[in-house]
Amino acid sequence: KTFRPRKKFEPGTQRFELYKKAQASLKSGLDLKAVVQLPPGESINDWIAVHVVDFFNRINLIYGTMSEYCTEKSCPIMSGGLKYEYRWQDDSKYKKPTKVSAPQYMCMLMDWIEMLINNEDIFPTRIGVPFPKQFQQVCTKILTRLFRVFVHVYIHHFDSIINMGAEAHVNTCYKHFYYFIREFSLVDHRELEPL
């Protein structure tokens, strides 16, 4: 239910070229701390946009592979252990932070992110169309909520990830995500406490 088809970058576009650079760096075995750094001469907003879409695809896939273990019964509250509870708010249907199950949270999160990254006013894809002033704030909110997926998966479902033999992939994805958000200060340090 929460799995979405991968978002792709149009071949021949600047973002497609940035995406290829990022992927080549990851596959070359380089230090992840180094590969998240902004390439010289590139736009910070383009670099962030490429990574937000890529992290959405990867984290959506991670959750999708183990979502059968995350049910209304096993996870009636979206949480990161006993100390952290995440409530949903989207300023349209859920105007106040609302307690929901983890599967509900994940489904609403993926729908919400997909709506944002498909919105040309927020994530423009045409050359010469500027990013909105609030672009990095929107990305901070997206990345903060995607971080919560890692928190939930690591704390509540890591045994399932291990049983599937996917822990190396999840750990590499998390490490890449973590270095990226730290490099550009995109997630408040208090949000990082659960992991």
Side-chain angles (χ1 to χ4, degrees):
K1 220 176 176 185
T2 59
F3 181 73
R4 304 288 190 280
R6 289 177 62 93
K7 296 293 165 196
K8 297 183 179 164
F9 301 100
E10 290 296 318
T13 64
Q14 180 184 8
R15 291 218 190 109
F16 181 72
E17 295 306 314
L18 280 174
Y19 174 73
K20 285 191 335 189
K21 276 184 192 177
Q23 292 305 302
S25 296
L26 283 173
K27 291 176 184 167
S28 69
L30 292 176
D31 174 19
L32 288 173
K33 281 184 184 178
V35 301
V36 298
Q37 294 172 355
L38 180 66
E42 297 297 346
S43 154
I44 182 75
N45 284 340
D46 278 323
W47 190 241
I48 290 172
V50 164
H51 281 82
V52 166
V53 173
D54 189 43
F55 288 132
F56 166 71
N57 286 330
R58 289 170 189 258
I59 295 167
N60 186 36
L61 182 61
I62 288 168
Y63 184 73
T65 61
M66 50 73 47
S67 61
E68 68 185 272
Y69 305 105
C70 185
T71 65
E72 299 286 326
K73 189 175 180 180
S74 67
C75 303
I77 297 169
M78 175 55 179
S79 64
L82 299 174
K83 193 173 174 187
Y84 299 95
E85 179 181 315
Y86 302 116
R87 296 181 178 199
W88 183 256
Q89 181 177 7
D90 58 20
D91 297 326
S92 58
K93 186 177 177 186
Y94 295 88
K95 296 189 187 305
K96 292 187 212 171
T98 305
K99 186 183 286 198
V100 296
S101 69
Q104 286 175 298
Y105 188 98
M106 300 298 183
C107 189
M108 290 187 288
L109 174 62
M110 298 308 170
D111 286 345
W112 176 77
I113 294 172
E114 190 169 35
M115 182 257 317
L116 289 171
I117 63 178
N118 288 330
N119 183 336
E120 285 285 329
D121 293 333
I122 300 169
F123 280 78
T125 57
R126 294 180 308 280
I127 295 173
V129 176
F131 286 91
K133 287 184 173 122
Q134 79 279 16
F135 177 71
Q136 288 189 22
Q137 290 172 299
V138 170
C139 290
T140 290
K141 198 167 194 178
I142 290 171
L143 293 167
T144 297
R145 289 180 176 185
L146 283 174
F147 180 79
R148 295 171 179 179
V149 177
F150 279 119
V151 172
H152 185 75
V153 167
Y154 271 109
I155 293 174
H156 298 282
H157 301 291
F158 203 67
D159 288 347
S160 300
I161 296 293
I162 290 170
N163 290 339
M164 287 185 267
E167 69 272 17
H169 173 70
V170 173
N171 288 338
T172 301
C173 184
Y174 173 69
K175 199 172 177 182
H176 182 208
F177 181 89
Y178 179 79
Y179 287 142
F180 184 78
I181 62 173
R182 297 299 290 166
E183 175 73 15
F184 300 103
S185 301
L186 292 167
V187 174
D188 188 287
H189 67 89
R190 290 171 298 184
E191 282 283 341
L192 303 177
E193 288 176 10
L195 293 183

